[in-house]
Amino acid sequence: MTTSLEDKLKHRIRDAGPISVAEYMTICLLDPVQGYYPTRDPLGADGDFITAPEISQMFGEVLGLWCVQSWIDLGRPETLHLIEYGPGRGIMMSDMLRSASLDSGFKAAVQVWLIEASAALEAVQGRTLGTAGVAVQWAARLEDVPPGPSLIIGNEFLDCLPIQQLICEDPFAGKDGWVERRVGLDDEDRLCFVKSGIPAAAILTDRLPTGASDARKDNVLETCPSVAQIIDSLSVRFAAHPGRALFIDYGPADTEFGDTLQALKRHEKVGVFSDPGNTDLTARVDFAALAETANAAGLATSAAVPQREFLSKLGVEMRAVALIRAKPDAKPVIARQLHRLTDTAEMGELFKAICLSSPGLPDPLGLR
Ligand code: SAH
């Protein structure tokens, strides 16, 4: 019988002590044999969660217009690398290319690159984009995409990057006042959170966001070292050739304290330790921390704009009207999709869009 991922995690903890939350997330989500993403297509009504491009074609279509305007803002380069992080089933890219290709200059310039950790999803992306009419290639890392002007996009990608959790032990001790929250075993050999007894490593506390200084005792702060790595890669790339990166995800505009790690299975929240490797694990994105890190790396940042405002500025309501005109019977369905994407009680307010750019470009469409 094969050892379950849960048993492997327990072995590791028994041998070497508690592991970081980031290590727990990485193993659960990306273990090549038993991890969540490499072993399945988790998206859609029959899967565990649903994302904006899966809800409606309108989402990708209006983002396609954003891409065309960004290509114009970059000075209409002859070759444009359109790079997507974590493309899921490839639906957003397919919808973006359909609307953006209406501009023949953009269509002639664009080369698509996908950065995807899951072989299972890569296969689905290949099928979805096989008829897109533009060259589509995969890269393991941003550094592997040939140099040149680029537009980079990621929807619900940052939320699945591994986070670290810190607990404030002493609000007056600066960065020495934080300890790490790790994953260990309880008396009955079940996975549980534990508090490390020693101050958190400098690598975690050296660059805490400004908001961290408001912490009170026992507040939990989440940081995402992978975001800092991605920002480093962006700043190197954009220093050589101009570009923009657009990230859309869920999270607060300002740093908030609290444990936001969550697990989803079949569209329901379940315990984060309930079924390692078989549930989707995500955490809220700290947009203030993201912008601070990007600014420190020399990138220009837009505000983090709520999804309803961003999509509305890109003309999503007009797109809905056009779709209804073409297919009047679909009106209730399209109206419901629009509601899910933009209503404050649905994705409209919690989800935000933020753009990181090489300095000196005009303000990006919809994020001014
Ligand atoms: N953007 C898609 C899918 C979101 S789910 C949508 O909106 O529908 C997260 C996606 O990121 C999946 O495609 C997953 O396999 C991928 N992913 C997760 N961690 C990754 C990593 N470290 N590097 C590259 N892709 C990753």
Side-chain angles (χ1 to χ4, degrees), residues 41 43 54 84-91 116 120-122 124-125:
D41 169 2
L43 285 139
E54 299 273 339
E84 185 176 356
Y85 275 117
R89 295 206 282 206
I91 289 179
E116 172 56 65
L121 285 173
E122 230 181 87
V124 181
Q125 292 151 20

Side-chain angles (χ1 to χ4, degrees), residues 30 37 43 49 51 53 86-88 115-118 121 155-157 160:
L30 297 178
Y37 283 116
L43 285 139
F49 62 95
T51 57
I115 301 178
E116 172 56 65
S118 157
L121 285 173
N155 183 63
E156 290 213 48
F157 167 70
C160 64

Side-chain angles (χ1 to χ4, degrees), residues 246-261:
L246 176 71
F247 292 107
I248 304 166
D249 228 304
Y250 76 108
D254 296 316
T255 298
E256 286 179 3
F257 298 106
D259 165 19
T260 77
L261 186 64

Side-chain angles (χ1 to χ4, degrees), residues 136-192:
V136 177
Q137 295 170 83
W138 283 262
R141 309 169 312 148
L142 185 61
E143 287 76 3
D144 299 334
V145 178
S150 43
L151 293 178
I152 299 167
I153 193 155
N155 183 63
E156 290 213 48
F157 167 70
L158 299 179
D159 65 4
C160 64
L161 295 179
I163 53 152
Q164 302 278 26
Q165 291 187 333
L166 302 172
I167 303 177
C168 182
E169 282 282 272
D170 179 354
F172 305 105
K175 59 185 188 178
D176 295 331
W178 297 90
V179 298
E180 214 189 315
R181 193 169 189 235
R182 295 173 79 88
V183 176
L185 294 172
D186 67 12
D187 295 343
E188 288 167 39
D189 205 36
R190 289 174 305 206
L191 293 165
C192 67

Side-chain angles (χ1 to χ4, degrees), residues 15 39 41 141 145 157 198 239 247 257 259 272 276 280 287 312 335 347 352:
D15 283 353
T39 53
D41 169 2
R141 309 169 312 148
V145 178
F157 167 70
I198 50 168
F247 292 107
F257 298 106
D259 165 19
V272 295
D280 177 50
F287 284 94
S312 184
M347 301 179 83
K352 318 259 179 330

